[in-house]
Amino acid sequence: MKKLFFLILGLGTIFSCEDPFELTPTDIISENVVFEDEGLVNAYLHDLYNRTQFHMTSGGTNINMGFINSWGGEHRNFAPWQAAFGEVTNTPYDENGARLLDYWPYDNIRDINVLIGNLGRSTTLDPEFVTQKSAEARFIRAWEYFEMVKRFGGVPIVTEALDIDASESELFVSRNSEKEVYDFIGSELDAIAAILSESAEETGVASKWAALALKSRAMLYAASVARFGTEQLNGLLGFPSGDAVGYYQQSMAASREIMDNGPFSLYQKNPDKVQNLIDLFLDETGNPEAIFVEKYEFEAGKSHAFDITGTPAGFGFAWNSNYPVYLETMEKFDFIDGASGKMDPAMYDGETPFDPARFFGERDPRFRAWIFYPESTFKGQPVYFHTSTQYTDPADGTRKTTSKQSGFIIPGSDGFPGACHPRHAYAGGNNPTGLLRRKHINPATPDATASSTDWIIIRLAEILLNYAEAAFYLGDPNGDMADVFNQVRDRAGMPSLSVEEITEDKIRQERQVELAFEEHVFWDLRRWRIAVEELDNKPRHKTTWIKDYDTGMYYLNMEHGDKGRVRLHPERNYYYALGLGRIADNPNLVENPGY
């Protein structure tokens, strides 16, 4: 039986069979009733899940679904005249606040605290039910605090719902230190993992493993800030550098518990490496890699528009091709023989030929699975990106160039096979970079229909990479760093690396490849404290493809990918401003440095 994820939306109609002339309001449910009824408690909790930003979906038609990835320089997010692009480039994040990156969910946290407090006072609910549901609420609260601490550093820790008559000293809470927030998250997740069941009641609900997975991620962040960051504001921001070891150990321990005792394995249902990696994000039937998932079901009232906005032009949907991938992202993906994917920029001169069988066909299968590239296949059709074609005119033997993107017939060819590129197989879209994001695009979503495809929030591959990174900085204490690291590469069809070959740069590159377009790269650059180096005033580039019809080769031009715009990530943006409004509202809040 299909379980609806959004029961709270129907609370106002629960009593619809009552007398319509009854003067007692029937669209308001007493708090005393809600927290003494299992169904209503579940509805309240499901609403909290629904309101929590497990991944970014804001904006009309979910226009911001690629925003975090765009900020990380992986792909562009929509066209230059749209807010989702303009918020990323040439936009200073100053004392006015974190803009689209802002996240200050104290309304959610208050509602979570209300739930936990009232469940603890219940006189009729089963104690085991109370314990389980309180733990789920605490998981959501820990998630919310993690999302804030990685943006702002220390924030106020509030674990009780304040009364409306509370004094100013109670209402105007001060910031806890960044260390205190991470320690709170860690201790909460330990307690939650000991309570929650190993098997979630339904998709999208926290389990023991989700709690441990979040701890694996959060403690790795804390360790990175301790190792690469600096203490500021008298300890309000940052950690003593010596704390890094303890946080790496906590991350490793949480990862190890999942690896050794969890019911998860890397997704390997299809022997074809590329198709297997495509299916990983679309298969909702017993996906063994998914640890925590956000549930979507169009018929139940929750869907997203990623297929609408991301599908290549010509393959359905009127508003598409909105996640053009940069050249720099492609070059992160090495070749299956171990050769570097990074080319000499001098080769991008519009004259050096590239053999697609090598340049695309022998690149990391993750590139071929997660990025649309020239002549990749989608819905049984080739996807073309070239902006012109060079050919030899059979009538006079001269070399000619068509500037049309598609639909041309070579003169004198009598339309011989392959000369025509049908419009419906061209995927340039608006302001193309020559590549498009494919990860998460579901070809089974009907045209003009919002998507029901679930979104994997945490998966086993991340946990393996978390473990390997922590082990690297701890000196590989268990002697298994290379084995764990290479499990991810082996599933992808990439050669294993020896312990000596696993460097800091290799660990970082592997995360940027395996976790591409999953809202990791941007936050990783920040926690490693290399976002200034990698993002600030650093242009990203697009590729303009020219196809040689006679040889099947491509010539590539490298051009600025953002219409001359750049990202701005000065040093102060490692901690975003709380903003003038919050500082004015609460005199006890201290602003971050540099604002």
Side-chain angles (χ1 to χ4, degrees):
M1 181 173 60
K2 187 178 296 181
K3 294 186 177 181
L4 299 184
F5 202 72
F6 317 105
L7 300 175
I8 197 71
L9 300 178
L11 288 181
T13 61
I14 285 177
F15 302 119
S16 59
C17 294
E18 296 288 335
D19 184 347
F21 297 104
E22 173 60 52
L23 295 179
T24 302
T26 59
D27 59 348
I28 298 174
I29 300 177
S30 167
E31 185 175 285
N32 295 333
V33 175
V34 171
F35 299 114
E36 297 294 348
D37 182 279
E38 287 192 6
L40 296 180
V41 168
N42 279 324
Y44 188 108
L45 189 55
H46 283 149
D47 182 55
L48 289 172
Y49 278 113
N50 190 39
R51 288 157 48 193
T52 300
Q53 183 176 285
F54 292 113
H55 70 116
M56 200 165 191
T57 58
S58 59
T61 318
N62 306 130
I63 193 173
N64 296 324
M65 283 189 79
F67 178 76
I68 300 295
N69 307 309
S70 181
W71 242 119
E74 298 179 86
H75 60 60
R76 281 198 16 203
N77 206 42
F78 291 80
W81 59 86
Q82 292 167 320
F85 179 80
E87 281 281 340
V88 170
T89 55
N90 286 17
T91 300
Y93 279 53
D94 53 23
E95 64 277 359
N96 291 306
R99 304 171 68 92
L100 276 184
L101 282 168
D102 190 56
Y103 196 60
W104 194 258
Y106 279 99
D107 53 347
N108 270 19
I109 289 173
R110 174 180 171 77
D111 290 345
I112 290 167
N113 292 338
V114 167
L115 175 62
I116 294 171
N118 279 281
L119 284 177
R121 291 187 288 271
S122 172
T123 59
T124 61
L125 292 175
D126 180 88
E128 176 63 21
F129 176 85
V130 168
T131 301
Q132 289 288 320
K133 297 307 171 181
S134 296
E136 282 188 55
R138 291 166 70 186
F139 172 83
I140 299 172
R141 187 173 63 186
W143 181 279
E144 300 285 42
Y145 275 109
F146 177 54
E147 288 300 307
M148 286 193 289
V149 73
K150 67 185 186 182
R151 287 166 167 81
F152 306 109
V155 295
I157 298 174
V158 182
T159 58
E160 294 183 1
L162 298 176
D163 190 90
I164 58 173
D165 297 322
S167 66
E168 287 189 359
S169 62
E170 293 174 295
L171 292 173
F172 294 149
V173 292
S174 300
R175 296 175 66 178
N176 288 85
S177 70
E178 185 171 9
K179 177 177 174 57
E180 288 172 332
V181 176
Y182 273 111
D183 288 345
F184 170 74
I185 293 168
S187 62
E188 278 289 278
L189 292 171
D190 281 340
I192 294 163
I195 296 171
L196 289 176
S197 63
E198 297 191 4
S199 179
E201 294 179 1
E202 56 186 291
T203 303
V205 171
S207 66
K208 166 184 177 177
W209 309 112
L212 288 170
L214 179 55
K215 184 176 182 185
S216 166
R217 181 187 292 185
M219 296 302 100
L220 186 64
Y221 273 66
S224 300
V225 174
R227 184 180 182 88
F228 302 110
T230 57
E231 288 190 89
Q232 302 175 66
L233 289 183
N234 296 317
L236 191 62
L237 304 178
F239 303 82
S241 59
D243 287 358
V245 170
Y247 289 117
Y248 280 131
Q249 289 172 338
Q250 289 189 61
S251 178
M252 270 189 71
S255 300
R256 183 87 261 174
E257 178 69 12
I258 296 168
M259 292 156 52
D260 289 349
N261 299 313
F264 308 102
S265 61
L266 292 176
Y267 186 90
Q268 301 193 73
K269 291 187 180 183
N270 194 318
D272 181 289
K273 295 289 189 183
V274 173
Q275 190 59 51
N276 184 69
L277 291 163
I278 293 172
D279 294 344
L280 164 59
F281 296 93
L282 308 178
D283 186 354
E284 299 174 7
T285 307
N287 189 324
E289 187 164 342
I291 296 175
F292 184 62
V293 172
E294 180 148 15
K295 177 68 177 175
Y296 287 94
E297 181 60 61
F298 178 76
E299 294 180 355
K302 183 174 180 179
S303 58
H304 61 79
F306 191 75
D307 294 319
I308 293 173
T309 56
T311 292
F315 288 86
F317 300 105
W319 193 27
N320 46 43
S321 302
N322 285 299
Y323 305 100
V325 173
Y326 295 113
L327 172 63
E328 286 81 1
T329 301
M330 177 178 71
E331 290 190 327
K332 292 288 185 184
F333 294 83
D334 291 337
F335 292 90
I336 55 177
D337 60 7
S340 173
K342 187 172 178 59
M343 301 288 108
D344 180 351
M347 299 176 69
Y348 301 142
D349 58 4
E351 297 179 357
T352 302
F354 289 91
D355 181 357
R358 165 65 176 173
F359 197 66
F360 304 129
E362 295 182 12
R363 200 175 284 268
D364 190 322
R366 290 172 289 192
F367 168 81
R368 291 179 275 150
W370 298 337
I371 295 175
F372 287 114
Y373 56 89
E375 299 187 36
S376 53
T377 302
F378 186 60
K379 296 185 178 182
Q381 295 279 355
V383 183
Y384 293 107
F385 289 93
H386 56 280
T387 56
S388 62
T389 303
Q390 295 181 0
Y391 63 95
T392 301
D393 190 334
D396 57 18
T398 60
R399 291 284 288 173
K400 295 185 177 179
T401 300
T402 174
S403 60
K404 294 182 179 179
Q405 296 171 328
S406 61
F408 69 91
I409 298 290
I410 296 176
S413 67
D414 296 324
F416 54 83
C420 179
H421 292 169
R423 183 68 188 172
H424 70 270
Y426 179 71
N430 294 323
N431 302 301
T433 62
L435 302 162
L436 279 174
R437 172 178 167 178
R438 181 173 190 156
K439 184 182 276 189
H440 293 111
I441 298 291
N442 192 341
T445 300
D447 196 9
T449 302
S451 180
S452 294
T453 308
D454 293 346
W455 209 266
I456 298 176
I457 305 301
I458 311 177
R459 59 190 178 96
L460 181 62
E462 180 202 338
I463 302 305
L464 299 179
L465 293 176
N466 291 352
Y467 181 92
E469 181 178 339
F472 175 82
Y473 290 115
L474 291 173
D476 195 13
N478 299 324
D480 58 355
M481 174 188 68
D483 174 65
V484 173
F485 185 79
N486 286 320
Q487 288 179 42
V488 178
R489 291 177 61 84
D490 180 68
R491 188 267 296 275
M494 293 297 288
S496 295
L497 300 180
S498 67
V499 172
E500 294 73 24
E501 292 173 314
I502 299 176
T503 63
E504 181 178 79
D505 286 344
K506 282 294 185 183
I507 286 172
R508 292 178 177 183
Q509 180 185 3
E510 194 67 25
R511 286 185 68 92
Q512 290 173 317
V513 167
E514 176 66 30
L515 304 177
F517 316 133
E518 297 180 52
E519 298 190 359
H520 285 281
V521 169
F522 175 63
W523 300 113
D524 281 349
L525 295 177
R526 287 167 53 79
R527 69 180 174 88
W528 293 326
R529 293 301 191 257
I530 59 173
V532 174
E533 172 188 340
E534 296 290 329
L535 298 177
D536 190 42
N537 280 295
K538 297 298 188 295
R540 289 298 191 269
H541 294 89
K542 71 176 185 177
T543 51
T544 300
W545 303 96
I546 305 166
K547 182 175 176 63
D548 189 320
Y549 173 76
D550 299 332
T551 65
M553 297 289 191
Y554 280 93
Y555 310 107
L556 193 158
N557 283 311
M558 181 175 70
E559 302 174 22
H560 199 294
D562 291 320
K563 301 289 186 180
R565 301 182 184 184
V566 292
R567 288 159 180 76
L568 303 175
H569 197 296
E571 186 76 21
R572 70 180 183 181
N573 280 172
Y574 284 124
Y575 296 105
Y576 291 109
L578 276 63
L580 295 173
R582 289 184 186 126
I583 299 298
D585 288 342
N586 182 352
N588 289 330
L589 290 179
V590 178
E591 183 59 281
N592 283 328
Y595 299 101

